[in-house]
Amino acid sequence: MRKIENRKFYKTALDKHGLSVRGLHWNSRASQESRFKVLIELIPEEITALHLVDAGCGFGDLYTYMKVKPLSYTGLEIMPEMLKEARKRTGCEILHVNMLSDDLPEADYYVCSGAMNILSRFETHLFIRRGLEHSRKGFVFNILHGDDESMVYNYFQDDEIRAMAKRFGVTSKIVTGYLERDMSVGFYK
């Protein structure tokens, strides 16, 4: 069973790479933006009319990537270094929140890019369940795709995601093929 200490995992990358995409454990700006593009496409409504919560927002890069801005955007971040930078880059409300245990704001959609990649299976299910409980319309996220053979990263298969959607009583859409070993998912109420 994997147990990666979240703070140490990201602090090590931040110390080595600074306030950059590599500091967030992304391979490149291009791979980060490929994920963002798919996530935005999975939101089936006009973004300008929506309240979005970005769970594990990092530096707020999803917000700065969006060409069309939501009606409101709130970032949730557990790492103080990232939280401070996200506030600076976005000018938005960025809350110091642990998705697994803290009170969460309500939104039309929760969005998450990469924040679940080192969580345990239990934590991943809890993270998604809590995001769905606090969203009016759904939760859109990306996660690693493939066989779960890593001692660090958390990989899922399509059938696991569909079974999870069924347990949560939501419909789902899965998108793969845009990056190796990555999938984006929409869970809709």
Side-chain angles (χ1 to χ4, degrees):
M1 181 172 146
R2 87 176 49 79
K3 184 60 184 165
I4 304 300
E5 206 281 300
N6 194 48
R7 174 135 181 82
K8 183 179 178 184
F9 180 80
Y10 285 104
K11 180 80 171 98
T12 301
L14 286 169
D15 289 347
K16 183 175 181 179
H17 301 288
L19 302 176
S20 69
V21 293
R22 302 275 303 171
L24 295 170
H25 275 280
W26 294 116
N27 291 329
S28 67
R29 170 84 52 207
S31 68
Q32 182 192 43
E33 290 181 354
S34 291
R35 290 173 177 92
F36 291 166
K37 180 180 185 294
V38 176
L39 286 178
I40 290 167
E41 289 171 353
L42 280 168
I43 298 172
E45 299 168 58
E46 180 60 43
I47 286 187
T48 58
L50 297 174
H51 299 277
L52 298 182
V53 168
D54 185 356
C57 69
F59 302 142
D61 291 339
L62 174 63
Y63 180 80
T64 60
Y65 170 81
M66 287 190 263
K67 290 160 185 50
V68 175
K69 303 298 186 197
L71 183 62
S72 74
Y73 170 94
T74 303
L76 308 180
E77 184 52 58
I78 197 166
M79 295 287 295
E81 303 88 341
M82 293 181 192
L83 180 133
K84 181 179 175 184
E85 187 64 17
R87 286 177 177 160
K88 182 177 156 185
R89 290 184 188 187
T90 67
C92 295
E93 180 180 40
I94 310 293
L95 304 175
H96 187 240
V97 171
N98 181 333
M99 269 294 288
L100 303 178
S101 59
D102 293 340
D103 289 335
L104 300 175
E106 299 297 316
D108 293 315
Y109 284 93
Y110 265 63
V111 179
C112 177
S113 183
M116 295 182 283
N117 289 347
I118 63 167
L119 299 180
S120 69
R121 282 291 202 262
F122 173 79
E123 291 168 332
T124 302
H125 285 256
L126 179 60
F127 192 108
I128 294 168
R129 180 178 58 80
R130 296 200 75 225
L132 280 168
E133 287 172 352
H134 291 85
S135 69
R136 289 180 282 279
K137 299 181 179 199
F139 190 12
V140 175
F141 58 92
N142 63 40
I143 199 156
L144 297 172
H145 184 241
D147 294 323
D148 193 23
E149 299 168 348
S150 173
M151 293 306 293
V152 175
Y153 295 103
N154 187 18
Y155 290 86
F156 282 84
Q157 295 285 341
D158 299 33
D159 58 340
E160 291 177 277
I161 296 296
R162 286 187 198 93
M164 191 186 309
K166 187 175 182 178
R167 277 193 306 280
F168 291 144
V170 297
T171 60
S172 64
K173 181 175 182 179
I174 298 172
V175 178
T176 60
Y178 57 94
L179 288 173
E180 186 177 349
R181 295 184 63 95
D182 204 85
M183 80 165 82
S184 289
V185 178
F187 278 0
Y188 308 106
K189 294 182 171 186

